[in-house]
Each structure stands twice: as C-alpha cells, then as structure tokens.
Tab-separated table of all heavy atoms in Angstrom:
chain	number	residue	atom	x	y	z
A	1	PHE	N	-9.344	7.316	-7.344
A	1	PHE	CA	-10.347	8.043	-6.573
A	1	PHE	C	-9.936	8.240	-5.136
A	1	PHE	O	-10.012	9.344	-4.570
A	1	PHE	CB	-11.638	7.182	-6.571
A	1	PHE	CG	-12.804	7.898	-5.821
A	1	PHE	CD1	-13.573	8.861	-6.415
A	1	PHE	CD2	-13.056	7.483	-4.521
A	1	PHE	CE1	-14.646	9.424	-5.691
A	1	PHE	CE2	-14.069	8.077	-3.777
A	1	PHE	CZ	-14.846	9.053	-4.330
A	2	ALA	N	-9.335	7.211	-4.567
A	2	ALA	CA	-8.865	7.298	-3.177
A	2	ALA	C	-7.778	8.335	-2.933
A	2	ALA	O	-7.848	9.049	-1.956
A	2	ALA	CB	-8.331	5.901	-2.648
A	3	ASP	N	-6.887	8.456	-3.907
A	3	ASP	CA	-5.803	9.443	-3.779
A	3	ASP	C	-6.303	10.846	-3.728
A	3	ASP	O	-5.735	11.765	-3.151
A	3	ASP	CB	-4.743	9.263	-4.871
A	3	ASP	CG	-3.885	8.011	-4.714
A	3	ASP	OD1	-3.776	7.551	-3.548
A	3	ASP	OD2	-3.329	7.651	-5.709
A	4	VAL	N	-7.484	11.093	-4.316
A	4	VAL	CA	-8.067	12.423	-4.378
A	4	VAL	C	-8.859	12.641	-3.128
A	4	VAL	O	-8.756	13.725	-2.441
A	4	VAL	CB	-8.891	12.624	-5.568
A	4	VAL	CG1	-9.637	13.970	-5.577
A	4	VAL	CG2	-8.094	12.613	-6.958
A	5	VAL	N	-9.675	11.698	-2.747
A	5	VAL	CA	-10.680	11.900	-1.667
A	5	VAL	C	-10.097	11.702	-0.283
A	5	VAL	O	-10.386	12.483	0.623
A	5	VAL	CB	-11.828	10.902	-1.940
A	5	VAL	CG1	-12.784	10.954	-0.721
A	5	VAL	CG2	-12.574	11.295	-3.188
A	6	ALA	N	-9.213	10.708	-0.174
A	6	ALA	CA	-8.716	10.456	1.265
A	6	ALA	C	-8.110	11.572	1.967
A	6	ALA	O	-8.367	11.771	3.150
A	6	ALA	CB	-7.791	9.221	1.168
A	7	PRO	N	-7.128	12.322	1.349
A	7	PRO	CA	-6.592	13.431	2.113
A	7	PRO	C	-7.615	14.506	2.551
A	7	PRO	O	-7.484	15.053	3.621
A	7	PRO	CB	-5.630	14.038	1.037
A	7	PRO	CG	-5.330	12.950	0.154
A	7	PRO	CD	-6.617	12.205	-0.029
A	8	ALA	N	-8.603	14.725	1.704
A	8	ALA	CA	-9.691	15.705	2.079
A	8	ALA	C	-10.473	15.238	3.257
A	8	ALA	O	-11.056	16.072	4.037
A	8	ALA	CB	-10.619	15.933	0.888
A	9	LEU	N	-10.550	13.947	3.493
A	9	LEU	CA	-11.380	13.397	4.520
A	9	LEU	C	-10.597	12.938	5.730
A	9	LEU	O	-11.139	12.334	6.730
A	9	LEU	CB	-12.217	12.261	4.057
A	9	LEU	CG	-13.245	12.623	2.919
A	9	LEU	CD1	-14.033	11.367	2.502
A	9	LEU	CD2	-14.206	13.714	3.408
A	10	GLY	N	-9.255	13.117	5.690
A	10	GLY	CA	-8.465	12.714	6.805
A	10	GLY	C	-8.319	11.225	7.022
A	10	GLY	O	-8.302	10.669	8.085
A	11	ILE	N	-8.408	10.505	5.833
A	11	ILE	CA	-8.412	9.045	5.798
A	11	ILE	C	-6.953	8.607	5.524
A	11	ILE	O	-6.282	9.084	4.564
A	11	ILE	CB	-9.292	8.490	4.682
A	11	ILE	CG1	-10.774	8.776	5.130
A	11	ILE	CG2	-9.092	6.995	4.620
A	11	ILE	CD1	-11.768	8.430	4.046
A	12	ALA	N	-6.435	7.674	6.296
A	12	ALA	CA	-5.184	7.049	6.095
A	12	ALA	C	-5.350	5.769	5.349
A	12	ALA	O	-6.033	4.875	5.780
A	12	ALA	CB	-4.437	6.798	7.375
A	13	LEU	N	-4.735	5.657	4.121
A	13	LEU	CA	-4.776	4.447	3.345
A	13	LEU	C	-3.632	3.562	3.612
A	13	LEU	O	-2.454	3.859	3.340
A	13	LEU	CB	-4.808	4.851	1.821
A	13	LEU	CG	-5.917	5.821	1.379
A	13	LEU	CD1	-5.675	6.209	-0.003
A	13	LEU	CD2	-7.282	5.163	1.584
A	14	LEU	N	-3.879	2.304	4.095
A	14	LEU	CA	-2.825	1.422	4.411
A	14	LEU	C	-2.539	0.458	3.189
A	14	LEU	O	-3.458	0.076	2.503
A	14	LEU	CB	-3.205	0.494	5.555
A	14	LEU	CG	-3.511	1.286	6.900
A	14	LEU	CD1	-3.756	0.244	8.040
A	14	LEU	CD2	-2.340	2.165	7.281
A	15	GLU	N	-1.261	0.221	2.981
A	15	GLU	CA	-0.886	-0.701	1.853
A	15	GLU	C	0.466	-1.266	2.209
A	15	GLU	O	1.218	-0.829	3.025
A	15	GLU	CB	-0.832	0.021	0.529
A	15	GLU	CG	0.245	1.121	0.450
A	15	GLU	CD	0.170	1.892	-0.874
A	15	GLU	OE1	-0.747	1.747	-1.644
A	15	GLU	OE2	1.167	2.620	-1.135
A	16	ALA	N	0.793	-2.303	1.504
A	16	ALA	CA	2.093	-3.019	1.644
A	16	ALA	C	3.168	-2.202	0.948
A	16	ALA	O	2.924	-1.471	0.028
A	16	ALA	CB	2.069	-4.389	1.013
A	17	PRO	N	4.413	-2.272	1.486
A	17	PRO	CA	5.521	-1.540	0.795
A	17	PRO	C	5.683	-2.005	-0.620
A	17	PRO	O	5.250	-3.124	-1.024
A	17	PRO	CB	6.747	-1.996	1.609
A	17	PRO	CG	6.226	-2.362	2.929
A	17	PRO	CD	4.863	-2.995	2.712
A	18	ALA	N	6.077	-1.101	-1.511
A	18	ALA	CA	6.136	-1.395	-2.946
A	18	ALA	C	6.981	-2.616	-3.250
A	18	ALA	O	6.666	-3.386	-4.220
A	18	ALA	CB	6.691	-0.151	-3.696
A	19	ASP	N	8.016	-2.861	-2.435
A	19	ASP	CA	8.871	-3.997	-2.703
A	19	ASP	C	8.625	-5.201	-1.845
A	19	ASP	O	9.454	-6.087	-1.768
A	19	ASP	CB	10.334	-3.593	-2.587
A	19	ASP	CG	10.733	-3.152	-1.176
A	19	ASP	OD1	9.778	-2.885	-0.336
A	19	ASP	OD2	11.920	-2.992	-0.840
A	20	TRP	N	7.465	-5.212	-1.142
A	20	TRP	CA	7.174	-6.296	-0.210
A	20	TRP	C	7.218	-7.642	-0.893
A	20	TRP	O	7.889	-8.603	-0.401
A	20	TRP	CB	5.752	-6.114	0.377
A	20	TRP	CG	5.328	-7.149	1.324
A	20	TRP	CD1	5.823	-7.298	2.607
A	20	TRP	CD2	4.593	-8.309	1.105
A	20	TRP	NE1	5.239	-8.425	3.183
A	20	TRP	CE2	4.470	-9.065	2.251
A	20	TRP	CE3	3.769	-8.802	-0.034
A	20	TRP	CZ2	3.748	-10.271	2.434
A	20	TRP	CZ3	3.056	-9.926	0.086
A	20	TRP	CH2	3.026	-10.678	1.247
A	21	LEU	N	6.642	-7.788	-2.020
A	21	LEU	CA	6.644	-9.132	-2.704
A	21	LEU	C	8.038	-9.558	-3.036
A	21	LEU	O	8.410	-10.738	-2.887
A	21	LEU	CB	5.759	-9.099	-3.937
A	21	LEU	CG	5.467	-10.393	-4.605
A	21	LEU	CD1	4.644	-11.325	-3.726
A	21	LEU	CD2	4.623	-10.152	-5.895
A	22	ALA	N	8.857	-8.646	-3.454
A	22	ALA	CA	10.208	-8.946	-3.968
A	22	ALA	C	11.116	-9.307	-2.719
A	22	ALA	O	12.101	-10.037	-2.902
A	22	ALA	CB	10.792	-7.761	-4.647
A	23	ARG	N	10.727	-8.876	-1.555
A	23	ARG	CA	11.566	-9.200	-0.321
A	23	ARG	C	11.140	-10.496	0.339
A	23	ARG	O	11.817	-10.872	1.279
A	23	ARG	CB	11.455	-8.022	0.651
A	23	ARG	CG	12.225	-6.779	0.179
A	23	ARG	CD	12.319	-5.704	1.232
A	23	ARG	NE	11.117	-5.018	1.516
A	23	ARG	CZ	10.438	-5.157	2.676
A	23	ARG	NH1	10.861	-5.896	3.611
A	23	ARG	NH2	9.301	-4.456	2.826
A	24	LEU	N	10.097	-11.108	-0.087
A	24	LEU	CA	9.674	-12.374	0.554
A	24	LEU	C	10.652	-13.456	0.207
A	24	LEU	O	11.307	-13.485	-0.923
A	24	LEU	CB	8.285	-12.810	0.008
A	24	LEU	CG	7.114	-12.035	0.525
A	24	LEU	CD1	5.821	-12.600	-0.100
A	24	LEU	CD2	6.992	-11.948	2.006
A	25	PRO	N	10.823	-14.481	1.084
A	25	PRO	CA	11.786	-15.536	0.753
A	25	PRO	C	11.188	-16.425	-0.391
A	25	PRO	O	10.020	-16.512	-0.594
A	25	PRO	CB	11.759	-16.349	2.112
A	25	PRO	CG	10.542	-15.933	2.817
A	25	PRO	CD	10.337	-14.557	2.445
A	26	ARG	N	12.178	-17.015	-1.077
A	26	ARG	CA	11.771	-17.781	-2.258
A	26	ARG	C	10.767	-18.936	-1.889
A	26	ARG	O	9.920	-19.329	-2.719
A	26	ARG	CB	12.983	-18.444	-2.898
A	26	ARG	CG	12.804	-19.291	-4.133
A	26	ARG	CD	12.344	-18.459	-5.321
A	26	ARG	NE	12.264	-19.221	-6.481
A	26	ARG	CZ	13.109	-19.102	-7.581
A	26	ARG	NH1	14.109	-18.256	-7.520
A	26	ARG	NH2	12.955	-19.820	-8.653
A	27	ALA	N	10.790	-19.460	-0.643
A	27	ALA	CA	9.922	-20.548	-0.240
A	27	ALA	C	8.461	-20.056	-0.225
A	27	ALA	O	7.517	-20.904	-0.362
A	27	ALA	CB	10.323	-20.926	1.180
C-alpha cells in the first residue's frame, strides 16, 4: 500500500539498507 500511496502524497519512506543486518558485527 505504501509503495502506491507514498509517491502520490510526497511521503518519504525511511528504511534500513537491504544488507544492514548482514553487515552487523557477529557480536
């Protein structure tokens, strides 16, 4: 829903990079 509606309303959707979890340290 957000991908359809947000651009029409000028809304910026913030999210983590796709590989964020994979780049975290093992600790």
